[in-house]
Amino acid sequence: MKKSILIMMMGILLAGLAACGSKESGEKAASGAENGKKEDFVFASSGLYPPFNYTDNNKLVGFDVEIGTAIAEEMGMNPKPVTNPWQTIIAALQADKFDAIIGSMAITDERLKEVHFTDPYYESGAQIFVSEDNDSIKSADDLKDKTIGVVVSSTFEENAKEYTDDVKTYDSDVTALQDLLVKGRLDAVITDQLVGMYAVNQNNLKIKQVGEPIYLDQMGIAIKKDDEGLLKKVNEALKTIKENGTYGKISEKYFGEDISKE
């Protein structure tokens, strides 16, 4: 009888151990399934720069957003676009709030001290815009001592300061351009040529371009200085989407042409 009871107890103990082993194996399997999920590729923009990045029906959309999405998918990652105020966007990248900035950021020597940039993904010009009835500004030379509107912390802000001390900053280009139509508010706005023309057409603004672009900017994707691996992967993915036609299709959708072409 004692022997039977002992055998029975050993059986119960072994069954319990087996159950624990099954539970542990199940947890590891569940963990493995979770690890099998695609890693997020989180990329940021201001969300205030149509048609490159902006909100439509509470969803972040635009050329930059679709390019970032295509790059993420090419890398086998899950695209996750987010927004961040432009004036703090590099600091947020350095603080690991996201993996990259895909927000039409111009490559400059000052920014290169803080972040890595991928190969340029498009080029555009800094354009002067004035109201249709403004005939006093015909070139950049006429900007001296005028009131100029620009987006805060943009390359256009530094450029405007070369012409005048009277520079007004805005969170978005559309707001700045609309202020051209308010008498006594602004004499001119300097912004990206593509962005300016899109804003003018979409909002039916009585605004015109002045002359040729003042200078050209090359736009790159910003990555943290210590993330060489991601920089290489993003550059490879960018090259691939240009070669396989994905980039061209996205560009045609927003601009009617492939803006990666010179």
Side-chain angles (χ1 to χ4, degrees):
M1 177 69 74
K2 289 181 180 179
K3 187 175 181 180
S4 298
I5 292 171
L6 180 61
I7 291 170
M8 186 182 298
M9 289 178 68
M10 287 179 67
I12 292 170
L13 177 62
L14 288 171
L17 289 171
C20 288
S22 298
K23 181 180 179 184
E24 185 178 332
S25 300
E27 287 174 349
K28 285 182 179 178
S31 176
E34 287 177 3
N35 290 336
K37 289 182 179 179
K38 286 185 179 180
E39 185 181 349
D40 285 342
F41 177 57
V42 186
F43 58 95
S45 64
S46 70
L48 299 170
Y49 201 58
F52 291 95
N53 50 82
Y54 60 103
T55 302
D56 185 23
N57 290 324
N58 295 318
K59 183 180 179 183
L60 190 59
V61 296
F63 175 79
D64 286 331
V65 177
E66 293 198 32
I67 291 296
T69 297
I71 286 171
E73 291 173 348
E74 184 61 37
M75 295 191 297
M77 299 176 76
N78 178 48
K80 190 174 179 182
V82 298
T83 60
N84 193 92
W86 191 251
Q87 54 267 45
T88 60
I89 202 165
I90 287 180
L93 173 66
Q94 294 169 329
D96 289 324
K97 297 288 181 66
F98 33 80
D99 302 307
I101 300 169
I102 307 182
S104 294
M105 179 169 276
I107 302 170
T108 68
D109 290 339
E110 284 301 309
R111 287 171 177 162
L112 281 167
K113 294 174 185 176
E114 300 185 88
V115 297
H116 280 311
F117 278 104
T118 61
D119 298 331
Y121 68 106
Y122 80 91
E123 184 178 83
S124 190
Q127 185 67 51
I128 302 168
F129 289 88
V130 299
S131 62
E132 280 186 355
D133 59 2
N134 186 337
D135 295 321
S136 65
I137 299 176
K138 295 183 171 61
S139 71
D141 293 335
D142 297 322
L143 292 177
K144 187 176 180 182
D145 299 328
K146 294 293 194 295
T147 304
I148 303 174
V150 293
V151 168
V152 65
S153 299
S154 65
T155 55
F156 311 120
E157 182 177 355
E158 292 304 311
N159 182 243
K161 290 176 181 177
E162 295 177 13
Y163 301 102
T164 181
D165 293 328
D166 193 1
V167 177
K168 290 187 177 180
T169 58
Y170 294 82
D171 287 332
S172 79
D173 294 271
V174 173
T175 308
L177 289 165
Q178 288 173 334
D179 261 8
L180 282 174
L181 303 177
V182 180
K183 191 172 181 179
R185 193 76 60 87
L186 291 175
D187 296 305
V189 166
I190 300 176
T191 189
D192 179 270
Q193 185 181 39
L194 293 171
V195 170
M197 286 310 302
Y198 180 85
V200 169
N201 293 332
Q202 288 292 110
N203 297 279
N204 196 27
L205 302 176
K206 293 183 178 180
I207 290 168
K208 62 185 179 182
Q209 297 183 66
V210 173
E212 296 297 317
I214 303 170
Y215 62 87
L216 294 176
D217 273 327
Q218 289 188 319
M219 312 302 173
I221 297 167
I223 309 263
K224 277 183 67 179
K225 277 282 190 182
D226 61 359
D227 208 343
E228 299 277 355
L230 182 60
L231 178 68
K232 183 179 178 182
K233 286 175 65 177
V234 173
N235 260 329
E236 289 172 351
L238 177 60
K239 181 181 179 183
T240 299
I241 67 169
K242 284 183 177 181
E243 290 175 346
N244 67 18
T246 302
Y247 182 108
K249 288 178 182 177
I250 296 170
S251 186
E252 287 278 349
K253 173 181 174 180
Y254 287 95
F255 307 106
E257 61 180 331
D258 187 343
I259 62 172
S260 71
K261 307 296 183 185
E262 293 183 1

